[in-house]
Amino acid sequence: KESLESASAVVRENLEELEEGVRQLIPHLPSNYVDSIKPLIRQLPEKGAPTQLSLSVRLRNIVGILSQANKFDNVISLETETRDFAGGPSKQVNTLYYGFGIAYYSDASGEKAGYGYPTADGWKWEEAPQYGPEILSMISMYQKGRQAEFVTLPVVIK
């Protein structure tokens, strides 16, 4: 019993810091990913606010969010999204995410294309229609419709 109480004290002392770390991570996540873990995010208590959630539930939420983030970060995933464009209507695009590092998107024609990368304020999306054919090629390679080959695209390292 003493051992359990001692372990609980360690968790209790560090839990708010862990929850704050997760809160700071959220803007770096793509919005479609955040939508998939919203039930866990909603259960994070506000910083410094009292909560009725038990230590085990709070810890489970943190572990759940981080394990899903780790899973997403270790794969290349293709998502169909609707993106707003300056001076024009919204369009459906395919977005190829390389974990939380960078993503490339294009509509079916390659005319509306670009890339995005995470920042502290959320993902920043840059329109780059000149890369449309390369991005379409890369999406096709991902879907196994084309033989793999090298493609030249911009990369943002922060």
Side-chain angles (χ1 to χ4, degrees):
K1 182 178 177 180
E2 289 176 15
S3 177
L4 182 59
E5 287 177 6
S6 175
S8 293
V10 170
V11 170
R12 191 175 296 108
E13 289 172 16
N14 294 293
L15 200 53
E16 279 193 37
E17 186 177 329
L18 290 170
E19 288 169 336
E20 182 58 25
V22 168
R23 277 189 220 91
Q24 290 177 9
L25 175 69
I26 291 169
H28 296 273
L29 309 177
S31 60
N32 62 328
Y33 172 75
V34 170
D35 290 342
S36 71
I37 60 168
K38 267 194 178 157
L40 294 173
I41 293 172
R42 278 194 290 261
Q43 290 188 37
L44 288 175
E46 293 293 322
K47 185 176 181 175
T51 181
Q52 299 296 321
L53 296 175
S54 67
L55 287 179
S56 62
V57 169
R58 291 172 68 188
L59 192 57
R60 185 193 70 208
N61 290 338
I62 291 169
V63 170
I65 291 168
L66 293 178
S67 68
Q68 290 299 320
N70 184 52
K71 191 185 301 183
F72 184 86
D73 196 34
N74 286 306
V75 297
I76 299 171
S77 60
L78 183 64
E79 304 286 337
T80 300
E81 304 172 333
T82 302
R83 188 162 309 285
D84 296 326
F85 292 97
S90 299
K91 282 198 133 186
Q92 188 172 1
V93 297
N94 285 321
T95 305
L96 197 57
Y97 285 92
Y98 286 82
F100 295 124
I102 194 160
Y104 300 95
Y105 69 87
S106 178
D107 65 357
S109 68
E111 291 177 25
K112 296 290 186 181
Y115 58 95
Y117 51 92
T119 70
D121 298 322
W123 277 63
K124 180 171 178 159
W125 296 97
E126 306 278 347
E127 289 187 41
Q130 67 273 25
Y131 294 112
E134 289 86 353
I135 294 170
L136 283 175
S137 174
M138 190 171 57
I139 291 170
S140 178
M141 284 184 265
Y142 176 80
Q143 294 173 321
K144 302 191 182 3
R146 289 193 54 182
Q147 182 71 22
E149 61 185 56
F150 286 104
V151 178
T152 303
L153 290 169
V155 176
V156 177
I157 300 174
K158 293 263 176 186

